Structure formats: C-alpha cells, structure tokens
C-alpha cells in the first residue's frame, strides 16, 4: 500500500542516518502518521481515479508537513513528503474530519520501504514559512491566514528518487 509520510528536511536527514553498525535507517519511531487512499478518502471524492486519490493523500501529507514545520521554526522551510510502500496489514485507518486519508503505521518505517520523496523547491521557502506561521490563525478561521496557507499549497512538490534523498538537505 502506498503511504505518504509527512516529514521535514532535518527529520529526513535523521531517518537516513545509520546508527550503530548494522542498524538500518528508519522513519519513526512508531506509530508513524501517514496518508493513503482510504475508504474515507474515496467517500470524500465522489469521482476520481487512483492517481487522483493518491494526489489528494499526498496533499494532506504536505499539509501535515507544514504543521511539522510550524513546530520546528529552525527547520528549512520546505515541505517534505516521503512515499513508502507498506504492507496493508501494518496500516491502521485513522481518518479524521479534515484528514480522510489519515492512517497510522504501528512501527517505524525502514528507509528501504521508501519509494520516493516529494519536496518543495527552495524558491517556495518564503511562502512555506509564511504558511507555517499562519497555520494557527488559519485553523481558527482567519481568511487572511488561510490565504497564506494556500500560497504554500500553490507550489508543486518536486519528485525525488530514493538515491537522491541524501542530497536533499544540502
């Protein structure tokens, strides 16, 4: 099952690091929140093929990455979404009103399960930082703050293959 994991560049760097000899890098610890094509997401979109539904799940993960950036102002202002292939039996549905694609993965996700990453270009940094700063007000219904959040979401995330991941934080 394709699951989109929200992240940040520092968290990605940490996941890629191998600790002690023989230890595999991982995204986590568990439970790891993610976003996938769930029954709730299918229900929220009356129409849409699998690719469109995956894009909707990716978009929810990008919003969750923005929330992570709001909690870590020192992180470079670039949304990061890691796409992983997870066995369906390890994925638990955790849909919420505004997050119908939300799932939980019980354990840390080994880096070998990553298929790709989707990351903002450096040119999006000012809009992403403004959006992260505006999130609390946007959540409270402030229209100007919502406009700032939409400004970040107007940037398309770039696609990166797994072999490119170690070079992203540079």
């Amino acid at each position: 099952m394709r699951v989109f994991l929200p992240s940040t560049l520092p968290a990605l760097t940490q996941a890629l690091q191998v600790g002690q000899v023989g230890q595999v890098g991982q995204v986590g610890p568990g439970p790891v929140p993610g976003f996938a094509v769930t029954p709730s997401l299918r229900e929220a979109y009356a129409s849409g093929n699998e690719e469109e539904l995956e894009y909707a799940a990716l978009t929810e993960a990008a919003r969750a990455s923005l929330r992570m950036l709001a909690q870590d102002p020192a992180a470079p202002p670039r949304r990061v979404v890691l796409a992983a292939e997870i066995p369906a039996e390890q994925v638990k549905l955790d849909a919420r009103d505004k997050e119908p694609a939300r799932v939980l993965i019980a354990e840390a996700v080994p880096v070998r399960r990553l298929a790709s990453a989707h990351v903002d270009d450096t040119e999006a940094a000012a809009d992403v930082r403004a959006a992260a700063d505006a999130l609390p007000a946007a959540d409270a219904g402030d229209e100007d703050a919502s406009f700032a959040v939409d400004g970040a979401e107007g940037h398309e995330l770039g696609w990166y293959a797994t072999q490119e991941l170690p070079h992203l934080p540079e």
Side-chain angles (χ1 to χ4, degrees):
M1 171 179 225
R2 175 65 51 106
V3 179
F4 298 98
L5 309 171
S7 191
T8 62
L9 287 175
L12 174 60
T13 299
Q14 184 177 5
L16 294 174
Q17 291 176 348
V18 177
Q20 300 172 1
V21 176
Q23 186 179 20
V24 178
Q26 60 187 24
V27 178
V32 178
F35 297 84
V37 177
T38 65
S40 296
L41 183 66
R42 288 184 194 283
E43 188 177 307
Y45 288 84
S47 64
N49 63 30
E50 195 69 17
E51 187 175 311
E52 291 168 327
L53 292 171
E54 282 189 354
Y55 186 78
L58 170 69
T59 301
E60 284 190 36
R63 174 69 67 103
S65 173
L66 194 59
R67 291 189 183 289
M68 293 172 77
L69 290 170
Q71 294 173 355
D72 184 4
R78 295 170 70 190
R79 296 169 297 161
V80 177
V81 176
L82 306 172
E85 292 297 329
I86 308 292
E89 62 272 6
Q90 294 180 9
V91 179
K92 176 184 168 192
L93 300 178
D94 188 34
R96 298 177 182 181
D97 286 342
K98 294 186 179 186
E99 298 177 318
R102 188 175 167 86
V103 297
L104 285 175
I105 302 152
E107 299 176 5
V109 176
V111 169
R112 65 179 160 72
R113 292 236 179 249
L114 298 182
S116 62
H118 304 267
V119 181
D120 275 312
D121 189 81
T122 55
E123 294 165 0
D127 288 338
V128 171
R129 177 57 60 213
D133 293 344
L135 265 176
D139 288 344
D142 183 308
E143 289 184 25
D144 290 335
S146 293
F147 185 75
V149 172
D150 290 344
E153 292 178 350
H155 292 276
E156 288 292 324
L157 299 174
W159 181 90
Y160 295 88
T162 55
Q163 63 268 29
E164 296 175 290
L165 298 183
H167 306 289
L168 282 172
E170 296 174 350

